[in-house]
Amino acid sequence: MSAELPDDVHNWPEDPFALLGVERGADDDTIRRAYTRLIRRFKPERAPEQFQKIRDAFESCQMQASWFRPDDPFADEPASELPAWTPQQDLPPDEVEKLWTLAVEGNLASAYAGLAQQARASERVDLPLRLYWLLTLEPDLDDSRTRHHWLALALKQSQLGGAALELYRRELEADAPAALNEPYEDLIAGRGESVLTFTRLRINAAGKAGRFSFIEHDLKQAKRCLGIDGDLDWLGLITCAHDWAAWDQPAPLMVYLAAELHQLRHLELNNSYFFDRIEEGDRWSQEQLAIKRSGLPEGFVQLVANTWANYSAVTRGEMLAATEPMLTVPSRYLARLDDLIQARGNGFAVLATMALERLQRPLEPDYPADLLRALARRGVLRWKEYDFKQRQELLKVLLAEGVHPQEFSDACAADPEARYRRLASQIAGDLSLRILWLAENLHGHQPA
C-alpha cells in the first residue's frame, strides 16, 4: 500500500492510513516505521504543514489501528462502562447493599463504618471504591484515611485496572502532586499492559508537574515488573520519560535514562521511531535556553514544551491562560517571535503552531477563494513590501474576518498577478503571524 506522497500537500489523501501508506490492520511497529520514513523527508523546520499532517495521521492511526485488527478478541463486544457492583461469594450479597442504602438515605457515618469493616475482611474491589466515594463526599468521616487510601487499595485489588484506573486518571489530572505521593507510590506490580498504562499515566502527570524524581522512582519499579522479556515495552517507557525530561534536563533522571538507553541499542534497527524521537528531544533541549530568554511568556513556553512531550497534556483552559499576556501588546510578541526564528530557526514556532491549532474551534464561515482574493485587492495586499507594520495590519484584518492566514494565503496563491502570489508565499511562511493569529482566535478576540 505504501506510495510516495506528492510535493503538494493539498493533493495528499485525507485518510490517515492512506497518507502513511499502511493497511488498517497494521501493527504499531509498521505505523511507526511509516511515520519515521515520512518525517525524514518532510522535516518540521523545512515543511511545517506537511510535518503536522504526517504527525496528525500518525496519532490517528495509532488510535484507530486496533479497531480494524481482525484478530482482536473483543472486536465485536460493545464498549463497557464502569463495572457494576458485583457481589461475591465470601460476603452476604445483601449486607453491602444494606450499608450502601444507608449512605443513599444520608446516614454516611454508619454506612462508612460498616463498609470499612467489610473491606478489612474482603478483597472485593467495589468496597474500597464505595469508601472512596463516601470520603470524596464527606472527608471528615475518617480521621486516619483519605479517599486516596481507598483508591490505592482499589487499584491494588483490581491489578491497576478497571474503574479504579479511570478514577486515578482523574485524580492525576485534578491534582498531580497529591496523586503521585503516598499511598500511590509503590503500587507498580505485576506484568502486562496494566503496568505499562499505569506507569505512563504517572510519568505524564509527573512530567507535567515537574516532579522528575517520581519518574525515576516509577521507572525502576516498572523495570522490575517487566523483566527480561519486556525490552520493547521498556524502551517505550524510557522514550516517554525522555520526552518530559528533554526540556528541563534534570541531571539525575537524564543520567539514568542515558544508562538504560545504552542497554537497549540492540533494538534500534527495528524500532527506529523511539530512537529518532529521543534524538529529536535532544535537539529540542539544545534550544531551550534561547527560547527561555526570548521574552515570550514563560507559561506559554512551558505549555509548548508540554505539547512536545504529550499532546493531550495541554488543555484549552491552560493554553488560554498561557497566551493571554500575548494579547496585551501583539506587536511586541510578533517581534519576539521573529527574533527567535531568525536566531534559532523554525523548530519552536512549528511546535507552538501545532499546539495552538490542535485547540482551535472550527471557523465559520468558510469564505470562497474568490472573495478572499477580492479582499486582498481592496487593499490588504496592495503594499509593495511585506514589512512589520503591514503584517500587523494583516493580522487585524484576518482576525476581524475570521480567516485563517493559511486559508488567505492559499486563495491569493492562485491569483493571476505575480505580486499577489509572491506575497501569499510570504504569508504562508510567516509562523510568527500565524502564532499570534491562533492565540488571539483562541480567545475569540475581535479587534475594534
Side-chain angles (χ1 to χ4, degrees), residues 70 100 119 163 173 175 177 233 240 281 290 295 329 332 356 376 411 414 435 441:
W100 192 248
E173 292 174 355
D175 186 355
D233 292 333
C240 178
V329 189
R332 175 189 302 165
L356 286 163
I435 289 169
N441 186 67

Side-chain angles (χ1 to χ4, degrees), residues 51-65:
F51 177 83
Q52 182 173 348
K53 283 186 174 292
I54 294 166
R55 180 73 187 177
D56 290 344
F58 169 65
E59 292 179 349
S60 179
C61 287
Q62 277 194 315
M63 179 180 66
Q64 295 183 45

Side-chain angles (χ1 to χ4, degrees), residues 289-311:
L289 185 59
I291 296 168
K292 287 179 178 178
R293 291 176 175 176
S294 66
L296 295 172
E298 182 179 350
F300 175 65
V301 170
Q302 185 59 57
L303 284 190
V304 173
N306 290 352
T307 301
W308 155 257
N310 184 343
Y311 265 38

